[in-house]
Amino acid sequence: EPEVTQTPSHQVTQMGQEVILRCVPISNHLYFYWYRQILGQKVEFLVSFYNNEISEKSEIFDDQFSVERPDGSNFTLKIRSTKLEDSAMYFCASKGLRDNEQFFGPGTRLTVL
Amino acid sequence: GDSVTQMEGPVTLSEEAFLTINCTYTATGYPSLFWYVQYPGEGLQLLLKATKADDKGSNKGFEATYRKETTSFHLEKGSVQVSDSAVYFCALSERSNDYKLSFGAGTTVTVRA
């Protein structure tokens, strides 16, 4: 069964450093999303991406964040200068054109020291 | 904007007990409704969904009915097992905002043998 994959599973970085989180969505999907979950809290929407552009973003997704689909298969989330409060689990999800179900990856745990 | 309110946890039950987790929503349009489950140390898995009023989603013995008149989507299971111990998230999405998911706070369920 096709699945969403994410790498790395765990990323540790120093405050102020750039990180790139990678996702490979399901191959025929057209909608892509990033969510985050701070430990013990609810899952929060960050950004949606469709037709090669951002279609919606939350107030969390400020100028320090960016997304890219560089090669038609990967979908990346970049944080330019990480802060302590960026420590969280980051989930990628994708959705096909017809169904309204999003499929989630296993997540990347980001720890900012 | 869209929002989801679900029953605060944690909930602790004995095996074979009846489980219900309340979920109500606020939406600008006509949303699809979901229950996601997160087992310890894992990502998000879709448990069940409903896309229109009076639809009943069901999976693994869990059920939830889309009640438009009460804007609710309560999750129920008649006889829980230890393996049902997890965090349960109610969520909604709307076509008007590219199907981004708005999640409730999550309810931690622990089932004891």
PDB file of all heavy atoms in Angstrom, chain A residues 79-110:
ATOM      1  N   ILE A  79      13.230  25.452   7.859  1.00  0.00           N
ATOM      2  CA  ILE A  79      13.196  26.472   8.905  1.00  0.00           C
ATOM      3  C   ILE A  79      14.550  27.152   8.881  1.00  0.00           C
ATOM      4  O   ILE A  79      15.585  26.527   9.092  1.00  0.00           O
ATOM      5  CB  ILE A  79      12.903  25.874  10.301  1.00  0.00           C
ATOM      6  CG1 ILE A  79      11.679  24.963  10.258  1.00  0.00           C
ATOM      7  CG2 ILE A  79      12.691  27.007  11.312  1.00  0.00           C
ATOM      8  CD1 ILE A  79      11.404  24.224  11.561  1.00  0.00           C
ATOM      9  N   ARG A  80      14.536  28.462   8.599  1.00  0.00           N
ATOM     10  CA  ARG A  80      15.801  29.167   8.308  1.00  0.00           C
ATOM     11  C   ARG A  80      16.680  29.326   9.536  1.00  0.00           C
ATOM     12  O   ARG A  80      17.869  29.089   9.479  1.00  0.00           O
ATOM     13  CB  ARG A  80      15.509  30.543   7.730  1.00  0.00           C
ATOM     14  CG  ARG A  80      15.582  30.590   6.215  1.00  0.00           C
ATOM     15  CD  ARG A  80      15.256  31.971   5.699  1.00  0.00           C
ATOM     16  NE  ARG A  80      13.821  32.134   5.474  1.00  0.00           N
ATOM     17  CZ  ARG A  80      13.189  31.654   4.402  1.00  0.00           C
ATOM     18  NH1 ARG A  80      13.830  31.001   3.471  1.00  0.00           N
ATOM     19  NH2 ARG A  80      11.892  31.865   4.258  1.00  0.00           N
ATOM     20  N   SER A  81      16.115  29.728  10.621  1.00  0.00           N
ATOM     21  CA  SER A  81      16.872  29.994  11.839  1.00  0.00           C
ATOM     22  C   SER A  81      16.046  29.467  13.003  1.00  0.00           C
ATOM     23  O   SER A  81      15.135  30.134  13.488  1.00  0.00           O
ATOM     24  CB  SER A  81      17.135  31.495  11.984  1.00  0.00           C
ATOM     25  OG  SER A  81      17.812  31.768  13.195  1.00  0.00           O
ATOM     26  N   THR A  82      16.344  28.264  13.414  1.00  0.00           N
ATOM     27  CA  THR A  82      15.482  27.589  14.390  1.00  0.00           C
ATOM     28  C   THR A  82      15.513  28.258  15.758  1.00  0.00           C
ATOM     29  O   THR A  82      16.545  28.809  16.193  1.00  0.00           O
ATOM     30  CB  THR A  82      15.907  26.127  14.542  1.00  0.00           C
ATOM     31  OG1 THR A  82      17.318  26.050  14.771  1.00  0.00           O
ATOM     32  CG2 THR A  82      15.543  25.321  13.310  1.00  0.00           C
ATOM     33  N   LYS A  83      14.368  28.184  16.418  1.00  0.00           N
ATOM     34  CA  LYS A  83      14.211  28.673  17.779  1.00  0.00           C
ATOM     35  C   LYS A  83      13.878  27.496  18.689  1.00  0.00           C
ATOM     36  O   LYS A  83      13.427  26.440  18.225  1.00  0.00           O
ATOM     37  CB  LYS A  83      13.098  29.718  17.836  1.00  0.00           C
ATOM     38  CG  LYS A  83      13.307  30.900  16.909  1.00  0.00           C
ATOM     39  CD  LYS A  83      12.284  31.990  17.152  1.00  0.00           C
ATOM     40  CE  LYS A  83      10.946  31.699  16.537  1.00  0.00           C
ATOM     41  NZ  LYS A  83      10.963  31.847  15.073  1.00  0.00           N
ATOM     42  N   LEU A  84      14.064  27.698  19.986  1.00  0.00           N
ATOM     43  CA  LEU A  84      13.757  26.619  20.936  1.00  0.00           C
ATOM     44  C   LEU A  84      12.312  26.146  20.791  1.00  0.00           C
ATOM     45  O   LEU A  84      12.030  24.945  20.851  1.00  0.00           O
ATOM     46  CB  LEU A  84      14.002  27.077  22.368  1.00  0.00           C
ATOM     47  CG  LEU A  84      15.431  27.413  22.748  1.00  0.00           C
ATOM     48  CD1 LEU A  84      15.499  27.940  24.176  1.00  0.00           C
ATOM     49  CD2 LEU A  84      16.334  26.187  22.603  1.00  0.00           C
ATOM     50  N   GLU A  85      11.420  27.113  20.550  1.00  0.00           N
ATOM     51  CA  GLU A  85      10.000  26.785  20.465  1.00  0.00           C
ATOM     52  C   GLU A  85       9.602  26.075  19.178  1.00  0.00           C
ATOM     53  O   GLU A  85       8.441  25.691  19.021  1.00  0.00           O
ATOM     54  CB  GLU A  85       9.136  28.035  20.667  1.00  0.00           C
ATOM     55  CG  GLU A  85       9.476  29.179  19.752  1.00  0.00           C
ATOM     56  CD  GLU A  85      10.442  30.180  20.394  1.00  0.00           C
ATOM     57  OE1 GLU A  85      11.376  29.765  21.126  1.00  0.00           O
ATOM     58  OE2 GLU A  85      10.270  31.396  20.126  1.00  0.00           O
ATOM     59  N   ASP A  86      10.561  25.887  18.273  1.00  0.00           N
ATOM     60  CA  ASP A  86      10.292  25.075  17.075  1.00  0.00           C
ATOM     61  C   ASP A  86      10.399  23.590  17.358  1.00  0.00           C
ATOM     62  O   ASP A  86      10.065  22.763  16.494  1.00  0.00           O
ATOM     63  CB  ASP A  86      11.271  25.450  15.955  1.00  0.00           C
ATOM     64  CG  ASP A  86      11.056  26.863  15.425  1.00  0.00           C
ATOM     65  OD1 ASP A  86       9.898  27.323  15.424  1.00  0.00           O
ATOM     66  OD2 ASP A  86      12.057  27.490  15.017  1.00  0.00           O
ATOM     67  N   SER A  87      10.873  23.239  18.533  1.00  0.00           N
ATOM     68  CA  SER A  87      10.953  21.825  18.906  1.00  0.00           C
ATOM     69  C   SER A  87       9.553  21.223  18.907  1.00  0.00           C
ATOM     70  O   SER A  87       8.659  21.698  19.613  1.00  0.00           O
ATOM     71  CB  SER A  87      11.576  21.675  20.297  1.00  0.00           C
ATOM     72  OG  SER A  87      12.915  22.086  20.290  1.00  0.00           O
ATOM     73  N   ALA A  88       9.382  20.181  18.101  1.00  0.00           N
ATOM     74  CA  ALA A  88       8.054  19.587  17.922  1.00  0.00           C
ATOM     75  C   ALA A  88       8.193  18.378  17.013  1.00  0.00           C
ATOM     76  O   ALA A  88       9.255  18.111  16.444  1.00  0.00           O
ATOM     77  CB  ALA A  88       7.081  20.590  17.291  1.00  0.00           C
ATOM     78  N   MET A  89       7.079  17.674  16.846  1.00  0.00           N
ATOM     79  CA  MET A  89       6.964  16.626  15.843  1.00  0.00           C
ATOM     80  C   MET A  89       6.345  17.270  14.617  1.00  0.00           C
ATOM     81  O   MET A  89       5.330  17.962  14.729  1.00  0.00           O
ATOM     82  CB  MET A  89       6.060  15.510  16.375  1.00  0.00           C
ATOM     83  CG  MET A  89       6.143  14.238  15.607  1.00  0.00           C
ATOM     84  SD  MET A  89       7.650  13.350  16.004  1.00  0.00           S
ATOM     85  CE  MET A  89       7.174  11.720  15.476  1.00  0.00           C
ATOM     86  N   TYR A  90       6.969  17.085  13.476  1.00  0.00           N
ATOM     87  CA  TYR A  90       6.463  17.663  12.236  1.00  0.00           C
ATOM     88  C   TYR A  90       5.939  16.536  11.341  1.00  0.00           C
ATOM     89  O   TYR A  90       6.664  15.587  11.032  1.00  0.00           O
ATOM     90  CB  TYR A  90       7.568  18.460  11.518  1.00  0.00           C
ATOM     91  CG  TYR A  90       7.892  19.738  12.221  1.00  0.00           C
ATOM     92  CD1 TYR A  90       8.728  19.759  13.336  1.00  0.00           C
ATOM     93  CD2 TYR A  90       7.349  20.950  11.797  1.00  0.00           C
ATOM     94  CE1 TYR A  90       9.005  20.938  14.011  1.00  0.00           C
ATOM     95  CE2 TYR A  90       7.628  22.135  12.458  1.00  0.00           C
ATOM     96  CZ  TYR A  90       8.454  22.123  13.568  1.00  0.00           C
ATOM     97  OH  TYR A  90       8.719  23.292  14.230  1.00  0.00           O
ATOM     98  N   PHE A  91       4.677  16.671  10.948  1.00  0.00           N
ATOM     99  CA  PHE A  91       4.047  15.671  10.107  1.00  0.00           C
ATOM    100  C   PHE A  91       3.780  16.227   8.717  1.00  0.00           C
ATOM    101  O   PHE A  91       3.270  17.336   8.567  1.00  0.00           O
ATOM    102  CB  PHE A  91       2.699  15.225  10.703  1.00  0.00           C
ATOM    103  CG  PHE A  91       2.815  14.467  11.990  1.00  0.00           C
ATOM    104  CD1 PHE A  91       2.478  15.072  13.192  1.00  0.00           C
ATOM    105  CD2 PHE A  91       3.224  13.147  12.002  1.00  0.00           C
ATOM    106  CE1 PHE A  91       2.573  14.383  14.392  1.00  0.00           C
ATOM    107  CE2 PHE A  91       3.320  12.438  13.197  1.00  0.00           C
ATOM    108  CZ  PHE A  91       2.990  13.066  14.387  1.00  0.00           C
ATOM    109  N   CYS A  92       4.107  15.428   7.741  1.00  0.00           N
ATOM    110  CA  CYS A  92       3.750  15.703   6.356  1.00  0.00           C
ATOM    111  C   CYS A  92       2.510  14.882   6.012  1.00  0.00           C
ATOM    112  O   CYS A  92       2.324  13.775   6.553  1.00  0.00           O
ATOM    113  CB  CYS A  92       4.925  15.315   5.462  1.00  0.00           C
ATOM    114  SG  CYS A  92       4.611  15.371   3.705  1.00  0.00           S
ATOM    115  N   ALA A  93       1.662  15.425   5.151  1.00  0.00           N
ATOM    116  CA  ALA A  93       0.490  14.673   4.706  1.00  0.00           C
ATOM    117  C   ALA A  93       0.241  14.984   3.241  1.00  0.00           C
ATOM    118  O   ALA A  93       0.634  16.046   2.740  1.00  0.00           O
ATOM    119  CB  ALA A  93      -0.745  15.026   5.536  1.00  0.00           C
ATOM    120  N   SER A  94      -0.422  14.054   2.551  1.00  0.00           N
ATOM    121  CA  SER A  94      -0.794  14.303   1.163  1.00  0.00           C
ATOM    122  C   SER A  94      -2.192  13.783   0.912  1.00  0.00           C
ATOM    123  O   SER A  94      -2.722  12.938   1.659  1.00  0.00           O
ATOM    124  CB  SER A  94       0.223  13.666   0.203  1.00  0.00           C
ATOM    125  OG  SER A  94       0.161  12.249   0.220  1.00  0.00           O
ATOM    126  N   LYS A  95      -2.792  14.312  -0.144  1.00  0.00           N
ATOM    127  CA  LYS A  95      -4.183  13.988  -0.468  1.00  0.00           C
ATOM    128  C   LYS A  95      -4.334  13.918  -1.983  1.00  0.00           C
ATOM    129  O   LYS A  95      -3.735  14.714  -2.719  1.00  0.00           O
ATOM    130  CB  LYS A  95      -5.106  15.080   0.077  1.00  0.00           C
ATOM    131  CG  LYS A  95      -6.578  14.745   0.007  1.00  0.00           C
ATOM    132  CD  LYS A  95      -7.429  15.947   0.398  1.00  0.00           C
ATOM    133  CE  LYS A  95      -7.703  16.859  -0.791  1.00  0.00           C
ATOM    134  NZ  LYS A  95      -8.488  16.218  -1.841  1.00  0.00           N
ATOM    135  N   GLY A  96      -5.153  12.990  -2.435  1.00  0.00           N
ATOM    136  CA  GLY A  96      -5.438  12.878  -3.856  1.00  0.00           C
ATOM    137  C   GLY A  96      -6.454  13.903  -4.300  1.00  0.00           C
ATOM    138  O   GLY A  96      -6.968  14.697  -3.506  1.00  0.00           O
ATOM    139  N   LEU A  97      -6.764  13.867  -5.586  1.00  0.00           N
ATOM    140  CA  LEU A  97      -7.647  14.892  -6.137  1.00  0.00           C
ATOM    141  C   LEU A  97      -9.091  14.670  -5.722  1.00  0.00           C
ATOM    142  O   LEU A  97      -9.806  15.628  -5.423  1.00  0.00           O
ATOM    143  CB  LEU A  97      -7.525  14.884  -7.663  1.00  0.00           C
ATOM    144  CG  LEU A  97      -8.292  15.958  -8.410  1.00  0.00           C
ATOM    145  CD1 LEU A  97      -7.778  17.337  -7.993  1.00  0.00           C
ATOM    146  CD2 LEU A  97      -8.138  15.778  -9.911  1.00  0.00           C
ATOM    147  N   ARG A  98      -9.522  13.425  -5.646  1.00  0.00           N
ATOM    148  CA  ARG A  98     -10.955  13.165  -5.470  1.00  0.00           C
ATOM    149  C   ARG A  98     -11.335  12.907  -4.025  1.00  0.00           C
ATOM    150  O   ARG A  98     -12.346  13.396  -3.538  1.00  0.00           O
ATOM    151  CB  ARG A  98     -11.364  11.982  -6.335  1.00  0.00           C
ATOM    152  CG  ARG A  98     -11.100  12.203  -7.804  1.00  0.00           C
ATOM    153  CD  ARG A  98     -11.850  11.223  -8.691  1.00  0.00           C
ATOM    154  NE  ARG A  98     -11.430  11.365 -10.071  1.00  0.00           N
ATOM    155  CZ  ARG A  98     -11.777  12.373 -10.863  1.00  0.00           C
ATOM    156  NH1 ARG A  98     -12.544  13.330 -10.398  1.00  0.00           N
ATOM    157  NH2 ARG A  98     -11.369  12.425 -12.108  1.00  0.00           N
ATOM    158  N   ASP A  99     -10.557  12.128  -3.326  1.00  0.00           N
ATOM    159  CA  ASP A  99     -10.876  11.779  -1.950  1.00  0.00           C
ATOM    160  C   ASP A  99     -10.493  12.930  -1.030  1.00  0.00           C
ATOM    161  O   ASP A  99      -9.593  13.710  -1.344  1.00  0.00           O
ATOM    162  CB  ASP A  99     -10.098  10.521  -1.560  1.00  0.00           C
ATOM    163  CG  ASP A  99     -10.648   9.885  -0.300  1.00  0.00           C
ATOM    164  OD1 ASP A  99     -11.561  10.476   0.325  1.00  0.00           O
ATOM    165  OD2 ASP A  99     -10.166   8.816   0.074  1.00  0.00           O
ATOM    166  N   ASN A 100     -11.202  13.070   0.108  1.00  0.00           N
ATOM    167  CA  ASN A 100     -10.838  14.143   1.041  1.00  0.00           C
ATOM    168  C   ASN A 100     -10.001  13.638   2.208  1.00  0.00           C
ATOM    169  O   ASN A 100      -9.806  14.353   3.178  1.00  0.00           O
ATOM    170  CB  ASN A 100     -12.086  14.872   1.550  1.00  0.00           C
ATOM    171  CG  ASN A 100     -13.038  13.938   2.263  1.00  0.00           C
ATOM    172  OD1 ASN A 100     -12.729  12.785   2.466  1.00  0.00           O
ATOM    173  ND2 ASN A 100     -14.193  14.447   2.640  1.00  0.00           N
ATOM    174  N   GLU A 101      -9.480  12.428   2.107  1.00  0.00           N
ATOM    175  CA  GLU A 101      -8.679  11.857   3.181  1.00  0.00           C
ATOM    176  C   GLU A 101      -7.209  12.211   3.001  1.00  0.00           C
ATOM    177  O   GLU A 101      -6.645  12.027   1.930  1.00  0.00           O
ATOM    178  CB  GLU A 101      -8.827  10.341   3.186  1.00  0.00           C
ATOM    179  CG  GLU A 101      -7.970   9.648   4.238  1.00  0.00           C
ATOM    180  CD  GLU A 101      -8.078   8.134   4.177  1.00  0.00           C
ATOM    181  OE1 GLU A 101      -9.035   7.638   3.537  1.00  0.00           O
ATOM    182  OE2 GLU A 101      -7.217   7.463   4.764  1.00  0.00           O
ATOM    183  N   GLN A 102      -6.595  12.709   4.067  1.00  0.00           N
ATOM    184  CA  GLN A 102      -5.166  12.972   4.056  1.00  0.00           C
ATOM    185  C   GLN A 102      -4.429  11.775   4.655  1.00  0.00           C
ATOM    186  O   GLN A 102      -4.847  11.220   5.662  1.00  0.00           O
ATOM    187  CB  GLN A 102      -4.838  14.225   4.871  1.00  0.00           C
ATOM    188  CG  GLN A 102      -5.338  15.500   4.220  1.00  0.00           C
ATOM    189  CD  GLN A 102      -4.935  16.734   4.983  1.00  0.00           C
ATOM    190  OE1 GLN A 102      -3.912  16.769   5.674  1.00  0.00           O
ATOM    191  NE2 GLN A 102      -5.750  17.765   4.873  1.00  0.00           N
ATOM    192  N   PHE A 103      -3.311  11.441   4.032  1.00  0.00           N
ATOM    193  CA  PHE A 103      -2.462  10.360   4.516  1.00  0.00           C
ATOM    194  C   PHE A 103      -1.221  10.988   5.150  1.00  0.00           C
ATOM    195  O   PHE A 103      -0.549  11.811   4.532  1.00  0.00           O
ATOM    196  CB  PHE A 103      -2.067   9.443   3.361  1.00  0.00           C
ATOM    197  CG  PHE A 103      -3.218   8.655   2.811  1.00  0.00           C
ATOM    198  CD1 PHE A 103      -4.124   9.238   1.930  1.00  0.00           C
ATOM    199  CD2 PHE A 103      -3.408   7.344   3.177  1.00  0.00           C
ATOM    200  CE1 PHE A 103      -5.193   8.518   1.428  1.00  0.00           C
ATOM    201  CE2 PHE A 103      -4.477   6.608   2.676  1.00  0.00           C
ATOM    202  CZ  PHE A 103      -5.372   7.198   1.802  1.00  0.00           C
ATOM    203  N   PHE A 104      -0.939  10.564   6.373  1.00  0.00           N
ATOM    204  CA  PHE A 104       0.147  11.167   7.138  1.00  0.00           C
ATOM    205  C   PHE A 104       1.408  10.309   7.105  1.00  0.00           C
ATOM    206  O   PHE A 104       1.335   9.073   7.114  1.00  0.00           O
ATOM    207  CB  PHE A 104      -0.278  11.359   8.598  1.00  0.00           C
ATOM    208  CG  PHE A 104      -1.145  12.563   8.809  1.00  0.00           C
ATOM    209  CD1 PHE A 104      -2.488  12.530   8.490  1.00  0.00           C
ATOM    210  CD2 PHE A 104      -0.604  13.740   9.312  1.00  0.00           C
ATOM    211  CE1 PHE A 104      -3.286  13.653   8.678  1.00  0.00           C
ATOM    212  CE2 PHE A 104      -1.390  14.860   9.501  1.00  0.00           C
ATOM    213  CZ  PHE A 104      -2.735  14.810   9.184  1.00  0.00           C
ATOM    214  N   GLY A 105       2.539  10.998   7.102  1.00  0.00           N
ATOM    215  CA  GLY A 105       3.807  10.329   7.315  1.00  0.00           C
ATOM    216  C   GLY A 105       4.024  10.060   8.794  1.00  0.00           C
ATOM    217  O   GLY A 105       3.246  10.510   9.633  1.00  0.00           O
ATOM    218  N   PRO A 106       5.118   9.344   9.124  1.00  0.00           N
ATOM    219  CA  PRO A 106       5.391   8.970  10.519  1.00  0.00           C
ATOM    220  C   PRO A 106       5.917  10.125  11.363  1.00  0.00           C
ATOM    221  O   PRO A 106       5.981  10.007  12.584  1.00  0.00           O
ATOM    222  CB  PRO A 106       6.445   7.878  10.385  1.00  0.00           C
ATOM    223  CG  PRO A 106       7.124   8.180   9.087  1.00  0.00           C
ATOM    224  CD  PRO A 106       6.078   8.755   8.188  1.00  0.00           C
ATOM    225  N   GLY A 107       6.293  11.218  10.713  1.00  0.00           N
ATOM    226  CA  GLY A 107       6.741  12.378  11.460  1.00  0.00           C
ATOM    227  C   GLY A 107       8.248  12.479  11.608  1.00  0.00           C
ATOM    228  O   GLY A 107       8.969  11.475  11.536  1.00  0.00           O
ATOM    229  N   THR A 108       8.726  13.714  11.775  1.00  0.00           N
ATOM    230  CA  THR A 108      10.119  13.997  12.138  1.00  0.00           C
ATOM    231  C   THR A 108      10.097  14.724  13.470  1.00  0.00           C
ATOM    232  O   THR A 108       9.448  15.765  13.599  1.00  0.00           O
ATOM    233  CB  THR A 108      10.813  14.886  11.097  1.00  0.00           C
ATOM    234  OG1 THR A 108      10.943  14.182   9.878  1.00  0.00           O
ATOM    235  CG2 THR A 108      12.196  15.308  11.597  1.00  0.00           C
ATOM    236  N   ARG A 109      10.828  14.162  14.425  1.00  0.00           N
ATOM    237  CA  ARG A 109      10.938  14.845  15.719  1.00  0.00           C
ATOM    238  C   ARG A 109      12.101  15.820  15.652  1.00  0.00           C
ATOM    239  O   ARG A 109      13.252  15.409  15.478  1.00  0.00           O
ATOM    240  CB  ARG A 109      11.151  13.849  16.853  1.00  0.00           C
ATOM    241  CG  ARG A 109      11.264  14.532  18.219  1.00  0.00           C
ATOM    242  CD  ARG A 109      11.201  13.541  19.367  1.00  0.00           C
ATOM    243  NE  ARG A 109       9.961  12.801  19.410  1.00  0.00           N
ATOM    244  CZ  ARG A 109       8.791  13.290  19.821  1.00  0.00           C
ATOM    245  NH1 ARG A 109       8.717  14.538  20.242  1.00  0.00           N
ATOM    246  NH2 ARG A 109       7.714  12.531  19.838  1.00  0.00           N
ATOM    247  N   LEU A 110      11.807  17.118  15.761  1.00  0.00           N
ATOM    248  CA  LEU A 110      12.841  18.158  15.729  1.00  0.00           C
ATOM    249  C   LEU A 110      13.108  18.636  17.151  1.00  0.00           C
ATOM    250  O   LEU A 110      12.176  19.033  17.862  1.00  0.00           O
ATOM    251  CB  LEU A 110      12.395  19.347  14.872  1.00  0.00           C
ATOM    252  CG  LEU A 110      13.344  20.537  14.849  1.00  0.00           C
ATOM    253  CD1 LEU A 110      14.671  20.147  14.184  1.00  0.00           C
ATOM    254  CD2 LEU A 110      12.718  21.716  14.123  1.00  0.00           C
TER     255      LEU A 110
END
